[in-house]
Amino acid sequence: MASSEPSPRIVTPEQRRATGASFGVDAARYDRTRPRYPQAMIDRIVAASPGPAFLNVGCGTGIEARQFRAAGCAVLGVEPDVRMADFARRDGVDVEVARFEEWDTAGRRFDAVVSGTAWHWLDPAAGAAKAAESLRPGGRLALFWHVFHLPPAVVAAFAEVYNRLLPDSPFRVPAGAVQAMEHYEPIFTNSGNGIRDTGEFGAVQRWHYDWEHRYTRAEWLDQMPTQGTLTQAPVEIVAEVLAGVGAAIDEMGGSFTMPYTTVVVTAAREPAAL
């Protein structure tokens, strides 16, 4: 194994959009396997918003939309992938199919704009500008992600197979002991800068929620094909990646505990000038 990590690759806007649009390839698996968000986070966002009208950007299959709806919110989703939108509608989530940067607000204003594990597929400046347009004064923008801390043996197995079989992928899987939070930091920073650059929001804050989940081998391998590193990979390569990761989990006893940190990047829309 190399003693230093390879330099990161630049993901072009076109590659970002293509990957963001690839998750609907198996919407049912995505909805079944992707983790939900901490209830404490849901409750805090609701409490920090001036009302119950929520816009869910990149709502996907409706995971967080259902959680906010259960907390008493009226949720409208915006989702570019018709397959994901159709799945969300099965459970009664109202969804409009569009890329958020191009979505027509039609004069509507919301108390909160929320986005779970999706904002990094948008242009952060255009997304923040559209969010400002969508919010009423005092409304809250809340963007959140799960940072998961895989066991080193699982990371090494994934990296070895992935980087060998997909050397030209724009996504690089680190083989070394790199902290997960370091990989997400550019996303948090770019998202915060996009919010600040609009000049329409107050101070940008970060909220953190630590929790954990126990995965069996089967549960983790079921989730892996929904990840952006694999959604566009050939099926034979996905199978080999899963075999390598599965062998590593077997050596750990067939299961592992995953520590998660859910990070929220959030700010309130400035009140209208008097």
mmCIF file of all heavy atoms in Angstrom, residues 212-263:
data_model
loop_
_atom_site.group_PDB
_atom_site.id
_atom_site.type_symbol
_atom_site.label_atom_id
_atom_site.label_comp_id
_atom_site.label_asym_id
_atom_site.label_seq_id
_atom_site.Cartn_x
_atom_site.Cartn_y
_atom_site.Cartn_z
ATOM 1 N N GLU A 212 -24.600 5.945 16.317
ATOM 2 C CA GLU A 212 -23.971 4.783 15.705
ATOM 3 C C GLU A 212 -25.026 3.749 15.322
ATOM 4 O O GLU A 212 -26.168 3.783 15.805
ATOM 5 C CB GLU A 212 -22.929 4.163 16.632
ATOM 6 C CG GLU A 212 -23.463 3.663 17.948
ATOM 7 C CD GLU A 212 -22.370 3.129 18.869
ATOM 8 O OE1 GLU A 212 -21.220 3.613 18.784
ATOM 9 O OE2 GLU A 212 -22.679 2.227 19.666
ATOM 10 N N HIS A 213 -24.605 2.852 14.417
ATOM 11 C CA HIS A 213 -25.508 1.794 13.941
ATOM 12 C C HIS A 213 -24.698 0.530 13.733
ATOM 13 O O HIS A 213 -23.584 0.573 13.212
ATOM 14 C CB HIS A 213 -26.178 2.205 12.629
ATOM 15 C CG HIS A 213 -27.131 1.177 12.102
ATOM 16 N ND1 HIS A 213 -28.385 0.994 12.621
ATOM 17 C CD2 HIS A 213 -26.995 0.258 11.095
ATOM 18 C CE1 HIS A 213 -29.000 0.030 11.970
ATOM 19 N NE2 HIS A 213 -28.180 -0.438 11.047
ATOM 20 N N ARG A 214 -25.261 -0.595 14.130
ATOM 21 C CA ARG A 214 -24.619 -1.883 13.948
ATOM 22 C C ARG A 214 -25.058 -2.488 12.621
ATOM 23 O O ARG A 214 -26.255 -2.661 12.367
ATOM 24 C CB ARG A 214 -25.008 -2.828 15.088
ATOM 25 C CG ARG A 214 -24.279 -4.171 15.071
ATOM 26 C CD ARG A 214 -22.882 -4.036 15.616
ATOM 27 N NE ARG A 214 -22.140 -5.304 15.617
ATOM 28 C CZ ARG A 214 -20.862 -5.387 15.922
ATOM 29 N NH1 ARG A 214 -20.195 -4.291 16.249
ATOM 30 N NH2 ARG A 214 -20.248 -6.548 15.928
ATOM 31 N N TYR A 215 -24.086 -2.776 11.746
ATOM 32 C CA TYR A 215 -24.376 -3.362 10.439
ATOM 33 C C TYR A 215 -23.939 -4.822 10.403
ATOM 34 O O TYR A 215 -22.817 -5.146 10.800
ATOM 35 C CB TYR A 215 -23.622 -2.630 9.329
ATOM 36 C CG TYR A 215 -24.210 -1.299 8.937
ATOM 37 C CD1 TYR A 215 -23.682 -0.114 9.432
ATOM 38 C CD2 TYR A 215 -25.295 -1.221 8.068
ATOM 39 C CE1 TYR A 215 -24.216 1.116 9.070
ATOM 40 C CE2 TYR A 215 -25.837 0.000 7.699
ATOM 41 C CZ TYR A 215 -25.300 1.161 8.212
ATOM 42 O OH TYR A 215 -25.830 2.373 7.850
ATOM 43 N N THR A 216 -24.802 -5.676 9.881
ATOM 44 C CA THR A 216 -24.356 -7.004 9.490
ATOM 45 C C THR A 216 -23.678 -6.902 8.126
ATOM 46 O O THR A 216 -23.805 -5.893 7.420
ATOM 47 C CB THR A 216 -25.536 -7.979 9.389
ATOM 48 O OG1 THR A 216 -26.401 -7.549 8.315
ATOM 49 C CG2 THR A 216 -26.331 -8.027 10.691
ATOM 50 N N ARG A 217 -22.998 -7.949 7.755
ATOM 51 C CA ARG A 217 -22.364 -7.999 6.431
ATOM 52 C C ARG A 217 -23.403 -7.754 5.342
ATOM 53 O O ARG A 217 -23.193 -6.941 4.431
ATOM 54 C CB ARG A 217 -21.699 -9.357 6.245
ATOM 55 C CG ARG A 217 -21.023 -9.587 4.897
ATOM 56 C CD ARG A 217 -20.594 -11.059 4.806
ATOM 57 N NE ARG A 217 -19.679 -11.298 3.703
ATOM 58 C CZ ARG A 217 -20.048 -11.544 2.452
ATOM 59 N NH1 ARG A 217 -21.342 -11.548 2.140
ATOM 60 N NH2 ARG A 217 -19.142 -11.783 1.525
ATOM 61 N N ALA A 218 -24.524 -8.442 5.421
ATOM 62 C CA ALA A 218 -25.548 -8.326 4.387
ATOM 63 C C ALA A 218 -26.120 -6.912 4.323
ATOM 64 O O ALA A 218 -26.365 -6.392 3.220
ATOM 65 C CB ALA A 218 -26.667 -9.334 4.648
ATOM 66 N N GLU A 219 -26.321 -6.288 5.467
ATOM 67 C CA GLU A 219 -26.901 -4.942 5.486
ATOM 68 C C GLU A 219 -25.964 -3.926 4.839
ATOM 69 O O GLU A 219 -26.402 -3.074 4.057
ATOM 70 C CB GLU A 219 -27.206 -4.525 6.927
ATOM 71 C CG GLU A 219 -28.396 -5.248 7.522
ATOM 72 C CD GLU A 219 -28.526 -5.010 9.015
ATOM 73 O OE1 GLU A 219 -27.529 -4.615 9.668
ATOM 74 O OE2 GLU A 219 -29.634 -5.229 9.548
ATOM 75 N N TRP A 220 -24.668 -3.999 5.148
ATOM 76 C CA TRP A 220 -23.749 -3.022 4.572
ATOM 77 C C TRP A 220 -23.562 -3.245 3.077
ATOM 78 O O TRP A 220 -23.538 -2.294 2.290
ATOM 79 C CB TRP A 220 -22.396 -3.036 5.284
ATOM 80 C CG TRP A 220 -21.473 -1.994 4.730
ATOM 81 C CD1 TRP A 220 -20.323 -2.179 4.028
ATOM 82 C CD2 TRP A 220 -21.684 -0.577 4.785
ATOM 83 N NE1 TRP A 220 -19.786 -0.981 3.647
ATOM 84 C CE2 TRP A 220 -20.602 0.020 4.095
ATOM 85 C CE3 TRP A 220 -22.660 0.233 5.341
ATOM 86 C CZ2 TRP A 220 -20.484 1.406 3.955
ATOM 87 C CZ3 TRP A 220 -22.547 1.614 5.206
ATOM 88 C CH2 TRP A 220 -21.471 2.188 4.517
ATOM 89 N N LEU A 221 -23.447 -4.496 2.653
ATOM 90 C CA LEU A 221 -23.291 -4.778 1.226
ATOM 91 C C LEU A 221 -24.551 -4.402 0.451
ATOM 92 O O LEU A 221 -24.471 -4.066 -0.736
ATOM 93 C CB LEU A 221 -22.946 -6.247 0.998
ATOM 94 C CG LEU A 221 -21.626 -6.736 1.595
ATOM 95 C CD1 LEU A 221 -21.326 -8.147 1.113
ATOM 96 C CD2 LEU A 221 -20.464 -5.797 1.283
ATOM 97 N N ASP A 222 -25.705 -4.437 1.091
ATOM 98 C CA ASP A 222 -26.945 -4.019 0.443
ATOM 99 C C ASP A 222 -26.945 -2.511 0.198
ATOM 100 O O ASP A 222 -27.463 -2.039 -0.816
ATOM 101 C CB ASP A 222 -28.132 -4.409 1.327
ATOM 102 C CG ASP A 222 -29.460 -4.378 0.584
ATOM 103 O OD1 ASP A 222 -29.466 -4.475 -0.659
ATOM 104 O OD2 ASP A 222 -30.508 -4.270 1.263
ATOM 105 N N GLN A 223 -26.331 -1.748 1.104
ATOM 106 C CA GLN A 223 -26.301 -0.291 0.942
ATOM 107 C C GLN A 223 -25.246 0.169 -0.048
ATOM 108 O O GLN A 223 -25.440 1.169 -0.761
ATOM 109 C CB GLN A 223 -26.058 0.416 2.288
ATOM 110 C CG GLN A 223 -26.155 1.925 2.194
ATOM 111 C CD GLN A 223 -25.715 2.645 3.459
ATOM 112 O OE1 GLN A 223 -24.914 3.583 3.409
ATOM 113 N NE2 GLN A 223 -26.225 2.224 4.596
ATOM 114 N N MET A 224 -24.137 -0.516 -0.142
ATOM 115 C CA MET A 224 -23.004 -0.021 -0.914
ATOM 116 C C MET A 224 -23.330 0.340 -2.367
ATOM 117 O O MET A 224 -22.855 1.363 -2.869
ATOM 118 C CB MET A 224 -21.840 -1.022 -0.870
ATOM 119 C CG MET A 224 -21.051 -0.981 0.429
ATOM 120 S SD MET A 224 -19.531 -1.962 0.333
ATOM 121 C CE MET A 224 -18.579 -0.988 -0.841
ATOM 122 N N PRO A 225 -24.147 -0.442 -3.100
ATOM 123 C CA PRO A 225 -24.427 -0.066 -4.497
ATOM 124 C C PRO A 225 -25.197 1.239 -4.647
ATOM 125 O O PRO A 225 -25.298 1.756 -5.764
ATOM 126 C CB PRO A 225 -25.247 -1.256 -5.014
ATOM 127 C CG PRO A 225 -24.850 -2.403 -4.149
ATOM 128 C CD PRO A 225 -24.651 -1.788 -2.789
ATOM 129 N N THR A 226 -25.737 1.784 -3.543
ATOM 130 C CA THR A 226 -26.451 3.063 -3.627
ATOM 131 C C THR A 226 -25.518 4.252 -3.483
ATOM 132 O O THR A 226 -25.958 5.398 -3.579
ATOM 133 C CB THR A 226 -27.534 3.164 -2.530
ATOM 134 O OG1 THR A 226 -26.924 3.408 -1.240
ATOM 135 C CG2 THR A 226 -28.386 1.915 -2.471
ATOM 136 N N GLN A 227 -24.237 4.010 -3.236
ATOM 137 C CA GLN A 227 -23.286 5.097 -3.019
ATOM 138 C C GLN A 227 -22.761 5.627 -4.355
ATOM 139 O O GLN A 227 -22.608 4.874 -5.317
ATOM 140 C CB GLN A 227 -22.146 4.614 -2.125
ATOM 141 C CG GLN A 227 -22.631 4.193 -0.744
ATOM 142 C CD GLN A 227 -21.591 3.434 0.057
ATOM 143 O OE1 GLN A 227 -20.422 3.335 -0.343
ATOM 144 N NE2 GLN A 227 -21.987 2.891 1.188
ATOM 145 N N GLY A 228 -22.486 6.935 -4.391
ATOM 146 C CA GLY A 228 -22.115 7.585 -5.636
ATOM 147 C C GLY A 228 -20.875 7.025 -6.299
ATOM 148 O O GLY A 228 -20.708 7.152 -7.515
ATOM 149 N N THR A 229 -20.020 6.369 -5.528
ATOM 150 C CA THR A 229 -18.838 5.745 -6.119
ATOM 151 C C THR A 229 -19.180 4.531 -6.967
ATOM 152 O O THR A 229 -18.380 4.108 -7.808
ATOM 153 C CB THR A 229 -17.869 5.314 -5.007
ATOM 154 O OG1 THR A 229 -18.611 4.613 -3.986
ATOM 155 C CG2 THR A 229 -17.156 6.507 -4.397
ATOM 156 N N LEU A 230 -20.372 3.945 -6.764
ATOM 157 C CA LEU A 230 -20.706 2.696 -7.433
ATOM 158 C C LEU A 230 -21.961 2.750 -8.307
ATOM 159 O O LEU A 230 -22.194 1.811 -9.084
ATOM 160 C CB LEU A 230 -20.892 1.574 -6.398
ATOM 161 C CG LEU A 230 -19.641 1.140 -5.627
ATOM 162 C CD1 LEU A 230 -20.005 0.078 -4.599
ATOM 163 C CD2 LEU A 230 -18.565 0.617 -6.572
ATOM 164 N N THR A 231 -22.765 3.778 -8.205
ATOM 165 C CA THR A 231 -24.048 3.778 -8.913
ATOM 166 C C THR A 231 -23.891 3.703 -10.428
ATOM 167 O O THR A 231 -24.806 3.248 -11.113
ATOM 168 C CB THR A 231 -24.873 5.024 -8.569
ATOM 169 O OG1 THR A 231 -24.070 6.202 -8.765
ATOM 170 C CG2 THR A 231 -25.371 4.975 -7.136
ATOM 171 N N GLN A 232 -22.751 4.142 -10.964
ATOM 172 C CA GLN A 232 -22.548 4.107 -12.406
ATOM 173 C C GLN A 232 -21.516 3.066 -12.834
ATOM 174 O O GLN A 232 -21.158 2.994 -14.009
ATOM 175 C CB GLN A 232 -22.113 5.487 -12.903
ATOM 176 C CG GLN A 232 -23.129 6.588 -12.620
ATOM 177 C CD GLN A 232 -22.621 7.950 -13.048
ATOM 178 O OE1 GLN A 232 -22.775 8.366 -14.183
ATOM 179 N NE2 GLN A 232 -22.002 8.663 -12.116
ATOM 180 N N ALA A 233 -21.046 2.254 -11.892
ATOM 181 C CA ALA A 233 -20.034 1.247 -12.207
ATOM 182 C C ALA A 233 -20.683 0.029 -12.851
ATOM 183 O O ALA A 233 -21.828 -0.313 -12.555
ATOM 184 C CB ALA A 233 -19.291 0.834 -10.937
ATOM 185 N N PRO A 234 -19.964 -0.667 -13.733
ATOM 186 C CA PRO A 234 -20.487 -1.915 -14.311
ATOM 187 C C PRO A 234 -20.793 -2.936 -13.224
ATOM 188 O O PRO A 234 -20.116 -3.002 -12.191
ATOM 189 C CB PRO A 234 -19.333 -2.386 -15.206
ATOM 190 C CG PRO A 234 -18.536 -1.146 -15.498
ATOM 191 C CD PRO A 234 -18.641 -0.305 -14.271
ATOM 192 N N VAL A 235 -21.804 -3.774 -13.481
ATOM 193 C CA VAL A 235 -22.268 -4.693 -12.445
ATOM 194 C C VAL A 235 -21.175 -5.669 -12.018
ATOM 195 O O VAL A 235 -21.107 -6.052 -10.841
ATOM 196 C CB VAL A 235 -23.520 -5.466 -12.925
ATOM 197 C CG1 VAL A 235 -24.695 -4.527 -13.062
ATOM 198 C CG2 VAL A 235 -23.254 -6.199 -14.232
ATOM 199 N N GLU A 236 -20.315 -6.071 -12.938
ATOM 200 C CA GLU A 236 -19.273 -7.028 -12.575
ATOM 201 C C GLU A 236 -18.243 -6.397 -11.642
ATOM 202 O O GLU A 236 -17.669 -7.067 -10.777
ATOM 203 C CB GLU A 236 -18.602 -7.607 -13.822
ATOM 204 C CG GLU A 236 -17.859 -6.604 -14.705
ATOM 205 C CD GLU A 236 -18.755 -5.908 -15.725
ATOM 206 O OE1 GLU A 236 -20.003 -6.023 -15.613
ATOM 207 O OE2 GLU A 236 -18.208 -5.270 -16.630
ATOM 208 N N ILE A 237 -17.997 -5.109 -11.809
ATOM 209 C CA ILE A 237 -17.062 -4.420 -10.922
ATOM 210 C C ILE A 237 -17.702 -4.222 -9.553
ATOM 211 O O ILE A 237 -17.056 -4.404 -8.508
ATOM 212 C CB ILE A 237 -16.616 -3.084 -11.539
ATOM 213 C CG1 ILE A 237 -15.692 -3.372 -12.739
ATOM 214 C CG2 ILE A 237 -15.919 -2.202 -10.510
ATOM 215 C CD1 ILE A 237 -15.163 -2.147 -13.429
ATOM 216 N N VAL A 238 -18.982 -3.862 -9.528
ATOM 217 C CA VAL A 238 -19.680 -3.741 -8.247
ATOM 218 C C VAL A 238 -19.609 -5.062 -7.494
ATOM 219 O O VAL A 238 -19.335 -5.099 -6.283
ATOM 220 C CB VAL A 238 -21.149 -3.316 -8.460
ATOM 221 C CG1 VAL A 238 -21.913 -3.365 -7.137
ATOM 222 C CG2 VAL A 238 -21.222 -1.921 -9.062
ATOM 223 N N ALA A 239 -19.822 -6.165 -8.200
ATOM 224 C CA ALA A 239 -19.785 -7.476 -7.560
ATOM 225 C C ALA A 239 -18.423 -7.760 -6.949
ATOM 226 O O ALA A 239 -18.322 -8.301 -5.835
ATOM 227 C CB ALA A 239 -20.154 -8.561 -8.573
ATOM 228 N N GLU A 240 -17.349 -7.387 -7.658
ATOM 229 C CA GLU A 240 -16.012 -7.649 -7.130
ATOM 230 C C GLU A 240 -15.700 -6.754 -5.936
ATOM 231 O O GLU A 240 -15.060 -7.189 -4.972
ATOM 232 C CB GLU A 240 -14.961 -7.464 -8.234
ATOM 233 C CG GLU A 240 -13.594 -7.974 -7.829
ATOM 234 C CD GLU A 240 -12.665 -8.197 -9.009
ATOM 235 O OE1 GLU A 240 -13.135 -8.179 -10.162
ATOM 236 O OE2 GLU A 240 -11.455 -8.397 -8.764
ATOM 237 N N VAL A 241 -16.159 -5.487 -5.988
ATOM 238 C CA VAL A 241 -15.985 -4.598 -4.840
ATOM 239 C C VAL A 241 -16.704 -5.169 -3.619
ATOM 240 O O VAL A 241 -16.151 -5.234 -2.512
ATOM 241 C CB VAL A 241 -16.508 -3.181 -5.161
ATOM 242 C CG1 VAL A 241 -16.560 -2.333 -3.888
ATOM 243 C CG2 VAL A 241 -15.622 -2.498 -6.204
ATOM 244 N N LEU A 242 -17.932 -5.619 -3.808
ATOM 245 C CA LEU A 242 -18.701 -6.163 -2.692
ATOM 246 C C LEU A 242 -18.055 -7.430 -2.135
ATOM 247 O O LEU A 242 -18.063 -7.655 -0.919
ATOM 248 C CB LEU A 242 -20.133 -6.450 -3.124
ATOM 249 C CG LEU A 242 -20.978 -5.259 -3.571
ATOM 250 C CD1 LEU A 242 -22.409 -5.690 -3.833
ATOM 251 C CD2 LEU A 242 -20.946 -4.137 -2.558
ATOM 252 N N ALA A 243 -17.490 -8.243 -3.020
ATOM 253 C CA ALA A 243 -16.821 -9.460 -2.551
ATOM 254 C C ALA A 243 -15.626 -9.114 -1.669
ATOM 255 O O ALA A 243 -15.410 -9.740 -0.620
ATOM 256 C CB ALA A 243 -16.388 -10.308 -3.743
ATOM 257 N N GLY A 244 -14.835 -8.117 -2.089
ATOM 258 C CA GLY A 244 -13.679 -7.725 -1.298
ATOM 259 C C GLY A 244 -14.058 -7.141 0.045
ATOM 260 O O GLY A 244 -13.460 -7.474 1.082
ATOM 261 N N VAL A 245 -15.067 -6.271 0.055
ATOM 262 C CA VAL A 245 -15.519 -5.673 1.318
ATOM 263 C C VAL A 245 -16.172 -6.736 2.195
ATOM 264 O O VAL A 245 -15.971 -6.772 3.408
ATOM 265 C CB VAL A 245 -16.490 -4.512 1.034
ATOM 266 C CG1 VAL A 245 -17.126 -4.010 2.329
ATOM 267 C CG2 VAL A 245 -15.758 -3.368 0.341
ATOM 268 N N GLY A 246 -16.941 -7.644 1.574
ATOM 269 C CA GLY A 246 -17.571 -8.701 2.345
ATOM 270 C C GLY A 246 -16.557 -9.594 3.044
ATOM 271 O O GLY A 246 -16.750 -9.990 4.201
ATOM 272 N N ALA A 247 -15.465 -9.905 2.353
ATOM 273 C CA ALA A 247 -14.417 -10.721 2.968
ATOM 274 C C ALA A 247 -13.811 -10.013 4.166
ATOM 275 O O ALA A 247 -13.520 -10.636 5.200
ATOM 276 C CB ALA A 247 -13.336 -11.041 1.932
ATOM 277 N N ALA A 248 -13.624 -8.690 4.059
ATOM 278 C CA ALA A 248 -13.072 -7.931 5.182
ATOM 279 C C ALA A 248 -14.029 -7.955 6.372
ATOM 280 O O ALA A 248 -13.588 -8.078 7.528
ATOM 281 C CB ALA A 248 -12.795 -6.492 4.748
ATOM 282 N N ILE A 249 -15.328 -7.840 6.112
ATOM 283 C CA ILE A 249 -16.299 -7.881 7.209
ATOM 284 C C ILE A 249 -16.344 -9.275 7.825
ATOM 285 O O ILE A 249 -16.476 -9.423 9.055
ATOM 286 C CB ILE A 249 -17.687 -7.439 6.707
ATOM 287 C CG1 ILE A 249 -17.636 -5.980 6.220
ATOM 288 C CG2 ILE A 249 -18.736 -7.584 7.809
ATOM 289 C CD1 ILE A 249 -18.918 -5.496 5.561
ATOM 290 N N ASP A 250 -16.232 -10.299 6.998
ATOM 291 C CA ASP A 250 -16.186 -11.670 7.520
ATOM 292 C C ASP A 250 -15.037 -11.825 8.508
ATOM 293 O O ASP A 250 -15.192 -12.469 9.566
ATOM 294 C CB ASP A 250 -16.023 -12.673 6.379
ATOM 295 C CG ASP A 250 -17.302 -12.857 5.576
ATOM 296 O OD1 ASP A 250 -18.390 -12.518 6.095
ATOM 297 O OD2 ASP A 250 -17.210 -13.327 4.423
ATOM 298 N N GLU A 251 -13.881 -11.264 8.184
ATOM 299 C CA GLU A 251 -12.723 -11.357 9.065
ATOM 300 C C GLU A 251 -12.937 -10.607 10.376
ATOM 301 O O GLU A 251 -12.269 -10.875 11.373
ATOM 302 C CB GLU A 251 -11.477 -10.828 8.354
ATOM 303 C CG GLU A 251 -11.014 -11.701 7.198
ATOM 304 C CD GLU A 251 -9.751 -11.173 6.535
ATOM 305 O OE1 GLU A 251 -9.206 -10.155 7.038
ATOM 306 O OE2 GLU A 251 -9.308 -11.772 5.532
ATOM 307 N N MET A 252 -13.886 -9.666 10.388
ATOM 308 C CA MET A 252 -14.213 -8.925 11.607
ATOM 309 C C MET A 252 -15.324 -9.604 12.410
ATOM 310 O O MET A 252 -15.790 -9.059 13.406
ATOM 311 C CB MET A 252 -14.644 -7.498 11.243
ATOM 312 C CG MET A 252 -13.573 -6.696 10.540
ATOM 313 S SD MET A 252 -14.237 -5.198 9.755
ATOM 314 C CE MET A 252 -14.989 -4.373 11.137
ATOM 315 N N GLY A 253 -15.757 -10.765 11.954
ATOM 316 C CA GLY A 253 -16.796 -11.475 12.676
ATOM 317 C C GLY A 253 -18.172 -11.374 12.062
ATOM 318 O O GLY A 253 -19.155 -11.824 12.652
ATOM 319 N N GLY A 254 -18.267 -10.746 10.869
ATOM 320 C CA GLY A 254 -19.534 -10.702 10.158
ATOM 321 C C GLY A 254 -20.395 -9.497 10.410
ATOM 322 O O GLY A 254 -21.489 -9.380 9.840
ATOM 323 N N SER A 255 -19.912 -8.562 11.238
ATOM 324 C CA SER A 255 -20.665 -7.335 11.485
ATOM 325 C C SER A 255 -19.714 -6.289 12.059
ATOM 326 O O SER A 255 -18.579 -6.606 12.445
ATOM 327 C CB SER A 255 -21.827 -7.582 12.457
ATOM 328 O OG SER A 255 -21.346 -7.976 13.728
ATOM 329 N N PHE A 256 -20.171 -5.051 12.107
ATOM 330 C CA PHE A 256 -19.366 -3.978 12.692
ATOM 331 C C PHE A 256 -20.279 -2.840 13.118
ATOM 332 O O PHE A 256 -21.403 -2.702 12.618
ATOM 333 C CB PHE A 256 -18.303 -3.457 11.713
ATOM 334 C CG PHE A 256 -18.862 -2.819 10.472
ATOM 335 C CD1 PHE A 256 -19.046 -1.435 10.414
ATOM 336 C CD2 PHE A 256 -19.204 -3.572 9.348
ATOM 337 C CE1 PHE A 256 -19.564 -0.831 9.269
ATOM 338 C CE2 PHE A 256 -19.712 -2.983 8.212
ATOM 339 C CZ PHE A 256 -19.896 -1.612 8.158
ATOM 340 N N THR A 257 -19.793 -2.034 14.041
ATOM 341 C CA THR A 257 -20.523 -0.851 14.491
ATOM 342 C C THR A 257 -19.992 0.360 13.758
ATOM 343 O O THR A 257 -18.779 0.615 13.773
ATOM 344 C CB THR A 257 -20.391 -0.653 16.005
ATOM 345 O OG1 THR A 257 -20.989 -1.775 16.662
ATOM 346 C CG2 THR A 257 -21.103 0.615 16.456
ATOM 347 N N MET A 258 -20.888 1.097 13.108
ATOM 348 C CA MET A 258 -20.512 2.293 12.360
ATOM 349 C C MET A 258 -20.808 3.539 13.185
ATOM 350 O O MET A 258 -21.962 3.838 13.480
ATOM 351 C CB MET A 258 -21.306 2.377 11.064
ATOM 352 C CG MET A 258 -20.999 3.642 10.248
ATOM 353 S SD MET A 258 -19.661 3.371 9.109
ATOM 354 C CE MET A 258 -20.586 2.564 7.785
ATOM 355 N N PRO A 259 -19.779 4.298 13.580
ATOM 356 C CA PRO A 259 -20.050 5.606 14.189
ATOM 357 C C PRO A 259 -20.418 6.612 13.090
ATOM 358 O O PRO A 259 -19.789 6.651 12.042
ATOM 359 C CB PRO A 259 -18.717 5.976 14.850
ATOM 360 C CG PRO A 259 -17.889 4.731 14.838
ATOM 361 C CD PRO A 259 -18.359 3.952 13.646
ATOM 362 N N TYR A 260 -21.437 7.377 13.326
ATOM 363 C CA TYR A 260 -21.878 8.431 12.422
ATOM 364 C C TYR A 260 -21.797 9.780 13.120
ATOM 365 O O TYR A 260 -22.013 9.876 14.328
ATOM 366 C CB TYR A 260 -23.334 8.229 12.000
ATOM 367 C CG TYR A 260 -23.592 7.216 10.921
ATOM 368 C CD1 TYR A 260 -23.905 5.894 11.240
ATOM 369 C CD2 TYR A 260 -23.567 7.576 9.573
ATOM 370 C CE1 TYR A 260 -24.183 4.965 10.240
ATOM 371 C CE2 TYR A 260 -23.844 6.653 8.578
ATOM 372 C CZ TYR A 260 -24.144 5.355 8.919
ATOM 373 O OH TYR A 260 -24.421 4.438 7.930
ATOM 374 N N THR A 261 -21.511 10.819 12.335
ATOM 375 C CA THR A 261 -21.740 12.193 12.752
ATOM 376 C C THR A 261 -22.593 12.842 11.684
ATOM 377 O O THR A 261 -22.200 12.896 10.518
ATOM 378 C CB THR A 261 -20.426 12.979 12.911
ATOM 379 O OG1 THR A 261 -19.591 12.330 13.872
ATOM 380 C CG2 THR A 261 -20.712 14.410 13.375
ATOM 381 N N THR A 262 -23.777 13.293 12.055
ATOM 382 C CA THR A 262 -24.624 14.027 11.122
ATOM 383 C C THR A 262 -24.348 15.510 11.318
ATOM 384 O O THR A 262 -24.474 16.030 12.426
ATOM 385 C CB THR A 262 -26.113 13.715 11.347
ATOM 386 O OG1 THR A 262 -26.310 12.305 11.178
ATOM 387 C CG2 THR A 262 -26.979 14.467 10.352
ATOM 388 N N VAL A 263 -23.918 16.167 10.239
ATOM 389 C CA VAL A 263 -23.518 17.577 10.287
ATOM 390 C C VAL A 263 -24.544 18.418 9.536
ATOM 391 O O VAL A 263 -24.916 18.080 8.404
ATOM 392 C CB VAL A 263 -22.119 17.783 9.687
ATOM 393 C CG1 VAL A 263 -21.719 19.263 9.711
ATOM 394 C CG2 VAL A 263 -21.083 16.942 10.439
#
